[in-house]
């Protein structure tokens, strides 16, 4: 299974380069709420990177059957089938499913690596698990 992993959980500077790269790739604008990767800071210093763990909970809860695993094991949203109900967003354990008001369909990490290329610390990596 192909997935995005954080190789050094303590090295994130919370610069948001990955968040910006993701939101621009999906929505052509920088909006942290439209990114499929999240940076959470609990103390103001220590940042936690939240990524899709490819657990499939979104797919199991999609009544339209719009989320399926591709050949590499990555769950992807079929925008033609997605009704935009947002149930996948509600059940995502990592909080990284996105349903933007401006889009009719939900989006999620597809393990494309855009965020990994944007990370100045080099702590994001697409791996086969």
């Amino acid at each position: 299974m192909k997935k995005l992993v954080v190789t050094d959980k303590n090295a994130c500077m919370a610069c948001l380069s990955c968040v910006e790269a993701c939101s621009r790739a999906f929505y052509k604008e920088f909006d942290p709420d439209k990114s499929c990767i999240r940076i959470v800071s609990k103390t103001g210093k220590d940042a936690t990177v939240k990524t899709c763990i490819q657990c499939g909970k979104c797919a199991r809860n999609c009544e339209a059957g719009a989320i399926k695993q591709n050949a590499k094991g990555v769950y992807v949203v079929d925008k033609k089938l997605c009704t935009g109900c947002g149930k996948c967003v509600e059940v995502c354990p990592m909080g990284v499913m996105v349903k933007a008001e401006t889009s009719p369909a939900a989006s999620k990490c597809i393990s494309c690596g855009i965020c990994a290329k944007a990370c100045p610390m080099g702590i994001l990596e697409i791996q086969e698990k």
Side-chain angles (χ1 to χ4, degrees):
M1 172 187 298
K2 185 175 155 185
K3 70 187 222 176
L4 176 68
V5 296
V6 182
T7 58
D8 185 348
K9 295 180 184 335
N10 298 315
C12 179
M13 301 182 317
C15 69
L16 302 182
S17 293
C18 59
V19 173
E20 180 175 4
C22 182
S23 71
R24 287 194 188 281
F26 274 104
Y27 294 97
K28 309 295 184 236
E29 65 177 308
F30 177 41
D31 182 343
D33 292 333
K34 294 178 179 176
S35 175
C36 299
I37 186 169
R38 309 276 182 191
I39 307 298
V40 181
S41 180
K42 292 185 178 162
T43 64
K45 283 190 212 175
D46 300 325
T48 302
V49 182
K50 300 276 189 170
T51 63
C52 178
I53 56 174
Q54 301 298 337
C55 67
K57 199 167 185 182
C58 55
R60 289 189 299 277
N61 286 275
C62 179
E63 293 175 3
I67 304 174
K68 296 180 178 104
Q69 266 184 311
N70 66 15
K72 297 195 183 226
V74 176
Y75 286 92
V76 294
V77 178
D78 183 333
K79 306 244 185 246
K80 292 177 184 170
L81 295 177
C82 180
T83 62
C85 71
K87 288 189 179 165
C88 55
V89 176
E90 293 170 14
V91 300
C92 179
M94 303 306 288
V96 292
M97 286 287 305
V98 176
K99 174 54 189 87
E101 288 182 24
T102 57
S103 175
S107 56
K108 66 171 297 303
C109 177
I110 57 171
S111 299
C112 67
I114 287 173
C115 58
K117 289 176 185 152
C119 177
M121 299 304 290
I123 63 168
L124 299 171
E125 195 174 275
I126 301 297
Q127 293 181 355
E128 289 284 335
K129 291 280 182 177

